[in-house]
Amino acid sequence: MENLMFAYRSCKVIWTLLVTILGYASSLPVGDDSICTADELAKYTIIFTGKWSQTAFPKQYPLYRPPAQWSSMLGVTHSSDYSMWKKNEYASNGVRDFAEKGEAWVLMKEIEEAGEKIQSVHGIFSAPAISSGIGQTSTELEVHSRHPLVSFVVRIVPSPDWFVGIDSLNLCEGDHWMEEVSVDLFPYDAGTDSGFTFSSPNFATIPQDTVTEITCSSPSHPANSFYYPKLKILPPIAQVTMVKLKKNHLGLPLPYLNLPAKSNEIIDSVSETPLDCEVSQWSSWGLCKGLCRKTGTKIRTRFVLLQPANNGMPCPNLDEETSCEPENCV
């Protein structure tokens, strides 16, 4: 009997130990470079730079009601158990509301609930909106050795459901935190609205599509505001830089002195994107004008759909004339 009790107690201890180890392991990020052994906490300054200029993106560039601009940034530091958004997966209701309307309440609730249920979120951060296509905004964020990943979204305004962002960028490299990292950002479609242009009316995508990257050839439609078939790749529409804050002798983080970038420096860093002229189809031929029993002329016309920019192909002739025989002559 004593032997049985001893065996029971031994099994119970082993089981408790296993549960404890598994419970701790479940809170760690999984995948490549999953175990971070760096200092428990690190602070960063995150700087978002908008590069959405008329020079780089001349097609249908929004100048009025509203002009090109960026929403506020909403981000989170987390473990691999949480995902704000992922390419080729369906956007959550919160990401949909943010990408379509810039409303953050539902997304904030989703983040808070994930943090409470699976302990996957360390902190939320946000940065002010930018009132033009070119400019900077910044804030600070804190990462934890068990929550070393950074994700965020910034809405492209105006747009149907387009945004830029980062999905689960790991700032920890084994036993140390990265000192600085910069990432070029490209537009994404949340898959919840079917508009092709910046100013498209709200038209829900039914059934909902997955999050996809917008490229110079996809969606492959001439109406697409980012459709530049002569380019191999779009220029980056934005950039994000994260700089680790150094600590002083008291162990407190020192402020990162980020001087505002001059607007011409941002513009000069973006190559010009040539935009070819686009014209409509020819109209029908007009009536033949001329004297009876003599050769007359008739005309057809077309109009400009898109003016050329940045040394793009100029517009062709908008009218064409040909000879004809007048009809209904007496």
Side-chain angles (χ1 to χ4, degrees):
M1 186 66 176
E2 288 180 3
N3 289 338
L4 286 174
M5 287 299 292
F6 177 77
Y8 170 76
R9 286 176 186 145
S10 299
C11 289
K12 189 175 181 181
V13 168
I14 293 169
W15 175 252
T16 304
L17 215 66
L18 282 171
V19 168
T20 303
I21 292 169
L22 290 171
Y24 174 76
S26 67
S27 69
L28 293 173
V30 295
D32 293 339
D33 300 325
S34 58
I35 299 177
C36 176
T37 58
D39 292 342
E40 193 172 62
L41 293 174
K43 284 192 175 183
Y44 285 81
T45 289
I46 179 169
I47 307 118
F48 177 88
T49 303
K51 295 187 174 184
W52 185 16
S53 69
Q54 193 170 8
T55 303
F57 300 91
K59 187 174 183 181
Q60 302 164 1
Y61 188 81
L63 296 172
Y64 314 102
R65 302 182 181 177
Q69 57 190 273
W70 301 95
S71 77
S72 58
M73 172 194 291
L74 180 59
V76 60
T77 57
H78 59 96
S79 71
S80 59
D81 295 321
Y82 171 77
S83 173
M84 176 181 272
W85 66 275
K86 280 192 179 298
K87 183 180 176 180
N88 298 326
E89 293 188 8
Y90 293 105
S92 68
N93 291 334
V95 171
R96 178 199 64 203
D97 285 359
F98 193 87
E100 289 187 11
K101 298 172 283 188
E103 295 177 358
W105 187 83
V106 175
L107 183 52
M108 288 280 289
K109 291 295 290 181
E110 290 175 353
I111 295 171
E112 289 172 5
E113 288 173 2
E116 291 171 0
K117 289 181 180 178
I118 54 177
Q119 304 295 304
S120 58
V121 171
H122 178 71
I124 300 173
F125 59 91
S126 64
I130 304 173
S131 59
S132 59
I134 301 172
Q136 282 189 344
T137 187
S138 64
T139 188
E140 292 183 4
L141 61 88
E142 184 179 79
V143 284
H144 188 277
S145 57
R146 292 200 300 273
H147 304 86
L149 309 181
V150 175
S151 297
F152 72 83
V153 287
V154 179
R155 181 176 182 248
I156 298 173
V157 182
S159 74
D161 60 341
W162 301 341
F163 69 95
V164 297
I166 277 181
D167 165 37
S168 303
L169 175 67
N170 195 343
L171 293 179
C172 183
E173 291 186 318
D175 61 352
H176 67 278
W177 295 103
M178 299 173 69
E179 291 296 326
E180 182 173 340
V181 58
S182 291
V183 180
D184 287 333
L185 303 177
F186 299 89
Y188 281 90
D189 186 325
T192 61
D193 195 293
S194 297
F196 273 123
T197 66
F198 295 118
S199 56
S200 293
N202 185 27
F203 187 69
T205 301
I206 302 175
Q208 180 177 335
D209 204 351
T210 57
V211 174
T212 55
E213 184 176 352
I214 300 171
T215 70
C216 55
S217 58
S218 178
S220 182
H221 194 290
N224 176 17
S225 291
F226 287 109
Y227 185 69
Y228 297 96
K230 289 190 174 181
L231 295 182
K232 291 184 178 180
I233 185 172
L234 284 176
I237 196 170
Q239 185 184 63
V240 66
T241 300
M242 280 166 273
V243 182
K244 185 174 177 289
L245 294 175
K246 299 185 182 300
K247 295 179 181 180
N248 61 17
H249 64 282
L250 297 175
L252 300 173
L254 292 171
Y256 174 73
L257 299 177
N258 175 47
L259 298 176
K262 295 179 181 178
S263 60
N264 62 338
E265 289 177 349
I266 298 175
I267 293 172
D268 290 344
S269 67
V270 180
S271 59
E272 290 189 353
T273 300
L275 182 65
D276 295 340
C277 177
E278 292 183 14
V279 295
S280 67
Q281 297 293 321
W282 286 109
S283 67
S284 301
W285 286 103
L287 295 174
C288 185
K289 295 181 180 180
L291 299 176
C292 288
R293 292 179 293 281
K294 290 187 177 180
T295 301
T297 59
K298 59 183 178 180
I299 296 175
R300 65 177 182 175
T301 61
R302 56 188 174 184
F303 57 91
V304 175
L305 294 172
L306 196 63
Q307 291 287 353
N310 304 328
N311 299 315
M313 188 177 294
C315 294
N317 291 332
L318 300 179
D319 53 71
E320 190 174 66
E321 186 178 288
T322 189
S323 58
C324 59
E325 296 294 330
E327 300 177 358
N328 302 323
C329 285
V330 177

